[in-house]
Amino acid sequence: MYSKTLLEQLPKPDLHCHPDGSLRLTTLIELAREHNVTLPSETPEGLRELVFKDQYRDLPDYLHGFAYTCAVLQDLEALERVAFELGEDCLAEGVCYLEVRFAPQLHAR
């Protein structure tokens, strides 16, 4: 068995990542306020309990969260911020190669 410390230090690839599925919850809350998007909770803890859970009942339960993340990613500034933060978060997690999947049609209302 490998130690958690060793696993955290090893370089990693992330071969399938979506920006709208990778928002920091604090960023989601801030962007929701800026874009007048109503969230089911205004705290990270509340969002983890109600939307972004450890386990989901089914696929629709999981996909429900994208209604909120896509709603706040409708302008260039929000997309740029989330892309930058995704890069920061991956770097902090030891990700040395990141392949981002992006669906522009979800961000052009």
Side-chain angles (χ1 to χ4, degrees):
M1 187 58 132
Y2 299 104
S3 72
K4 182 179 179 184
T5 303
L6 173 65
L7 293 174
E8 289 173 345
Q9 292 175 347
L10 288 173
K12 300 166 223 29
D14 189 339
L15 302 178
H16 190 110
C17 178
H18 294 263
D20 47 352
S22 304
L23 275 80
R24 297 173 182 171
L25 293 181
T26 52
T27 298
L28 174 60
I29 292 165
E30 289 175 24
L31 291 175
R33 287 182 186 139
E34 291 173 19
H35 293 86
N36 297 315
V37 173
T38 303
L39 299 174
S41 174
E42 299 232 348
T43 67
E45 299 78 20
L47 288 173
R48 277 191 212 93
E49 180 183 332
L50 298 169
V51 182
F52 305 102
K53 309 167 189 175
D54 290 333
Q55 291 187 347
Y56 298 92
R57 289 186 312 270
D58 50 29
L59 183 59
D61 188 34
Y62 169 74
L63 294 175
H64 175 73
F66 287 90
Y68 302 110
T69 60
C70 288
V72 302
L73 294 176
Q74 295 299 313
D75 63 44
L76 183 59
E77 292 79 18
L79 288 166
E80 184 177 355
R81 175 181 176 180
V82 167
F84 184 83
E85 289 178 357
L86 174 59
E88 284 184 321
D89 294 344
C90 286
L91 186 62
E93 293 171 359
V95 174
C96 61
Y97 180 84
L98 176 63
E99 195 169 290
V100 179
R101 308 294 179 146
F102 180 66
Q105 68 274 18
L106 298 177
H107 307 284
R109 289 194 187 136

